[in-house]
Amino acid sequence: AMMEEWGSWMDAQLEKRFGPELPPLTASTLNFSRNEIGDEGVRAVVEYLKEREISVQMVKFFKNSIGDAGAWAIGQLLAHAREPVHEVHLSHNQITEQGALSIFEAIVRSKRYPYPLERSGRRDTQGMTPIWLRMEYNCIRWSSIDNRLEQTGVRWCAAESRDGWGPKDNSPMVCMHSSYKNQKLDGLGVAALMGQAAAAAGSS
């Protein structure tokens, strides 16, 4: 309900500014950090952007209780937005290996990353740069999906900063913050573990 209200409010703001016919819009930053909007909230935001063909360069969803369904929705945004997304901040959520894989698979399938960078910032010899992804402090056991990540064909690296990626002459698709291995695996929580057990029982 909260996100529906947000959608109606946004529509009113956009109509005030641009009239009933929206031109192609690009938002520099969409920041929902620390709002506990969860998977449903993320899905509502992604649907809103898709329906109105609004592109976003930087998406901030950290600390929002987002799980794998929300991660999947983010993957759809990365793959289908009118213009490539430049940065996605998803740290401090509940995303597991499955959600991480769905994001990487969407990036690979879209064939849109690395993307051409027109403003200032580091580019490779073809003028391309990777999407910057922050996924630390989720529930991702990276070691258990190494092989599957490799199978996706994703070219990625880790760096301390947005422009720290390599190799310099051939941009990877994704650059993750080098803290990506810091995950809250011990703090999965009883509810999450029970949910996983129920899901496993349901699928067997």
Side-chain angles (χ1 to χ4, degrees), residues 3 12 28 37 48 59 69 94 98 108 136 178 184 189 202:
M3 297 315 293
S28 59
I37 65 171
Y48 181 91
V59 183
Q94 318 288 331
Q98 206 50 52
V108 173
E136 65 271 20
S178 46
K184 44 184 187 189

Side-chain angles (χ1 to χ4, degrees), residues 151-171:
Q151 285 164 9
T152 66
V154 68
R155 291 184 301 105
W156 68 282
C157 72
E160 280 295 323
S161 70
R162 174 79 183 89
D163 288 335
W165 52 267
K168 290 183 172 59
D169 56 351
N170 185 17
S171 168

